Each structure stands twice: as C-alpha cells, then as structure tokens.
C-alpha cells in the first residue's frame, strides 16, 4: 500500500480527532493537511502508521487550540462549534461514544478543559485509545494521562445532561419543530419547548444575531412564532437535518445559499437548548453562504410592508 493510500484510509479518523479537539471544520481540515505534509516528509515508514498519524494530528490540533483560545476570548457574542453534518469516521463498536462526543453540548463542555485534558479525553473516551497510545500522542506519561482524564471526566460529568437516546424520536421532534416554525404555530412551539429552554445565536459580529440569550418557553415560542413565518414569506426555507449527531435544521435563502444552522438539544422529550450558527465564516463548508445582512434588511422591509 502506498503512502497516499495509507493516509487516505486513516483520513476519516484523523479529521474526527482534530474536529473534536478544535470544534472547527476548517481548522480540523488544516490539521489533517499538515499531518499529511509531516508524514510525506519522513524518509522511512513508521512502525505503526496509525500511531504516527494520530500522534501528529493530535499535537498539531493541541497547538492550534492553544492559539484559538486567545481568539475565542475576544470573540463577539457566544462561540459555538462549526456545524458538522457527517462524521466521516465510523466505528460500530464505539458509535454511541462517537455521537455523544461530537454533539454541540459536548463540544461546548470540552471548551472548559485545558488543551491536554481535551485531547486525552477525546482519544481515550471517544476513540478508545489505550493509555500507552494516548501518552505517546500527547507526550506525557501514562500516569499523567490518567490524572488528566480523571479531571476531564469530572468536568464533563458536572455539565453533561442526559439527552434522549431515541434517534427516531429526536428526528420526529425536529420535524414537528420545523413545521411549527413555518406555520408560526405558537401553541405547537410551546408544546415542544422545555419550561427553561434557552435560545442563543453565534454571529461573531459577522451576521445579525440575538443581543442575548432568550430564556423560557413563552419568550422563545413568541419570538420564533413572530419571526420565522416572515422568513418563509421572503422564501427562506428550513431543511431538517441531523447536525453534530443531534436534531437540527439548515436554513437557506431563496437562491439556496446557507443562511444559518440550527441545532436542538433534547431532554425528556422537550427541546432544552436552541443554538443558531449564523457566522458566515463557520458555514462555508456547507455550501455557498447567503448574505445574512441582506436577508435581514429584506425581512425588516417585508414586516414593515405587512404591518
């Protein structure tokens, strides 16, 4: 097998590791590309290509994350991970762990960890690497990695809710939610929302966004019922999709360009959190991106004319 073939066979694993460490599709793809350059530059084949590449992509991702943390401290408004439609790495044995570790809620919890804790947690708990492999990847002893993992698990357990596990139920709830949005069905939305539901948007100062999170079923339902029917009138469409392993939807303008991505966290059959990714810099991997400011102007004009 050639170097290129070996690398391509492991590319899905490398991307999936990097994305969970970084929460960014673009940065994960860059980390994978840098990993290839390092692999291509070595003159002799490593004893284990998987170990060599996993170590390389992990260390690159840790370095990128350390610099990204500084940028995120100055980020305008809430920071959410870039939406991921399909995780390229498939492992039936660890499918549940892989899905849980890529959810938006889990990725936001991972933001609380140090880069090393995050990498150890991802390698060990999401991908099932042995402690010897984890230690080699992060350049620490096995004992140190065990301590890092204990701390990481404690932080994750403190904030990780138990989401509904039934995938079909989640998909049906998302479809009902999108239907209620289209119709501006206030009662239908209320029925789907948890009493303490929270809705927030990540525009990064690059798109119109909520000034602050909206909290409470009544407040969220009224806002959604007031805005989304008007979006439908200017031909914004909602496509139910699974995003980061959880129910959600992609919104497109009349020309089919991506306007924003919406994800839902479901707990006990109700929507607990609604997160909107509106920053165009985080949507380019999903297709051509809409001009959110132009859509916002058209929306305001339509509401003025219709009032």
């Amino acid at each position: 097998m050639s170097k290129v073939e070996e690398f391509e066979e492991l590319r899905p694993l490398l991307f999936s590791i990097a994305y969970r460490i970084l929460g960014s599709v673009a940065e994960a793809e860059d980390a994978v590309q840098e990993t290839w350059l390092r692999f291509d530059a070595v003159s002799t084949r490593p004893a284990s290509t998987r170990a060599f590449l996993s170590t390389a992509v992990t260390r690159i991702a840790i370095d990128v994350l350390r610099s990204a943390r500084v940028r995120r401290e100055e980020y305008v408004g809430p920071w959410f991970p870039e939406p991921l439609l399909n995780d390229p790495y498939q492992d039936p044995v660890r499918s549940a762990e892989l899905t849980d570790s890529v959810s938006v809620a889990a990725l936001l919890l991972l933001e609380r960890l140090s880069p090393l804790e995050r990498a150890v947690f991802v390698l060990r708990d999401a991908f099932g690497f042995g402690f010897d492999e984890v230690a080699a990847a992060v350049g620490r002893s096995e004992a140190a990695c065990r301590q890092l993992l204990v701390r990481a698990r404690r932080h994750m357990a403190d904030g990780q809710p138990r989401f509904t596990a039934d995938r079909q139920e989640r998909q049906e709830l998302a479809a009902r939610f999108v239907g209620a949005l289209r119709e501006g069905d206030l009662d239908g939305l209320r029925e789907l929302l948890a009493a303490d539901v929270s809705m927030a948007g990540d525009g990064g100062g690059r798109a119109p966004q909520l000034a602050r999170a909206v909290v409470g079923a009544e407040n969220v339902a009224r806002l959604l019922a007031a805005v989304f029917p008007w979006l439908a009138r200017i031909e914004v469409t909602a496509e139910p999709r699974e995003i980061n392993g959880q129910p959600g939807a992609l919104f497109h303008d009349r020309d089919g360009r991506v306007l924003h991505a919406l994800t839902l966290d479901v707990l006990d059959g109700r929507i607990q959190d609604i997160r909107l990714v509106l920053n165009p810099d985080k949507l380019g991997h999903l297709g051509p991106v809409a001009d959110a400011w132009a859509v916002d102007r058209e929306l305001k004009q339509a509401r003025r004319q219709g009032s």
Side-chain angles (χ1 to χ4, degrees):
M1 185 182 292
S2 70
K3 261 190 172 183
V4 172
E5 289 170 331
E6 280 190 287
F7 183 83
E8 289 303 323
E9 187 175 87
L10 290 165
R11 181 188 287 272
L13 171 63
L14 303 178
F15 172 85
S16 296
I17 291 171
Y19 177 77
R20 283 162 174 79
I21 294 174
L22 294 167
S24 165
V25 171
E27 290 175 346
E29 289 175 343
D30 288 345
V32 172
Q33 181 60 26
E34 176 62 26
T35 300
W36 160 251
L37 294 176
R38 294 189 185 185
F39 182 48
D40 189 44
V42 297
S43 57
T44 58
R45 295 288 184 94
S48 168
T49 300
R50 180 180 182 271
F52 176 90
L53 294 176
S54 298
T55 294
V57 80
T58 297
R59 293 185 179 184
I60 291 166
I62 289 171
D63 288 343
V64 173
L65 181 60
R66 284 174 173 147
S67 61
R69 286 286 174 88
V70 176
R71 297 193 302 273
R72 289 174 193 177
E73 288 175 0
E74 301 173 353
Y75 195 80
V76 178
W79 180 93
F80 297 153
E82 292 181 12
L84 184 69
L85 298 186
N86 298 297
D87 187 357
Y89 181 68
Q90 304 297 322
D91 181 356
V93 176
R94 304 194 65 82
S95 59
E97 292 92 340
L98 289 168
T99 299
D100 287 346
S101 65
V102 84
S103 72
V104 174
L107 291 172
L108 289 174
L109 286 174
L110 285 169
E111 284 291 303
R112 303 179 182 181
L113 309 182
S114 72
L116 279 178
E117 288 171 344
R118 185 164 181 162
V120 168
F121 182 87
V122 166
L123 293 174
R124 178 63 182 170
D125 279 20
F127 293 93
F129 278 45
F131 275 108
D132 57 336
E133 297 174 295
V134 175
V138 301
R140 295 292 188 275
S141 68
E142 289 188 36
C145 288
R146 291 179 188 276
Q147 293 177 341
L148 287 165
L149 183 63
V150 167
R151 291 201 298 268
R153 284 176 173 170
R154 185 167 55 244
H155 285 304
M156 295 295 287
D158 286 344
Q160 181 72 64
R162 294 183 179 180
F163 297 112
T164 303
D166 190 316
R167 182 175 181 179
Q168 182 176 351
E169 181 183 352
R170 296 199 311 263
Q171 291 173 333
E172 290 173 352
L173 187 146
R176 289 169 57 199
F177 176 78
V178 171
L181 278 184
R182 289 175 179 144
E183 300 298 324
D185 181 357
L186 183 60
D187 290 334
L189 288 167
R190 283 197 196 101
E191 181 183 341
L192 298 172
L193 301 176
D196 58 348
V197 63
S198 174
M199 182 171 71
D202 171 356
R206 304 266 289 117
Q209 67 186 67
L210 297 169
R212 60 183 65 84
V214 180
V215 179
E218 186 66 25
N219 294 331
V220 172
R222 286 189 177 279
L223 177 59
L224 293 173
V227 172
F228 278 88
W230 287 101
L231 286 172
R233 291 193 189 189
I234 62 171
E235 301 180 61
V236 170
T237 57
E239 174 193 4
R241 292 291 299 267
E242 186 172 274
I243 300 175
N244 288 80
Q246 301 295 321
L250 288 181
F251 289 77
H252 299 86
D253 69 5
R254 62 164 54 89
D255 296 316
R257 295 173 298 192
V258 179
L259 181 61
H260 57 256
L262 176 149
T263 58
L264 306 172
D265 286 344
V266 177
L267 178 65
D268 297 331
R270 293 288 186 274
I271 295 169
Q272 189 71 42
D273 287 285
I274 302 170
R275 298 184 180 95
L276 292 158
V277 176
L278 307 109
N279 186 339
D281 296 339
K282 295 186 173 185
L283 301 173
H285 62 286
L286 303 176
V289 179
D291 183 342
W293 295 107
V295 172
D296 185 58
R297 290 192 296 271
E298 186 177 0
L299 172 64
K300 289 176 179 176
Q301 182 178 1
R303 297 184 72 176
R304 285 195 300 268
Q305 292 174 347
S307 60

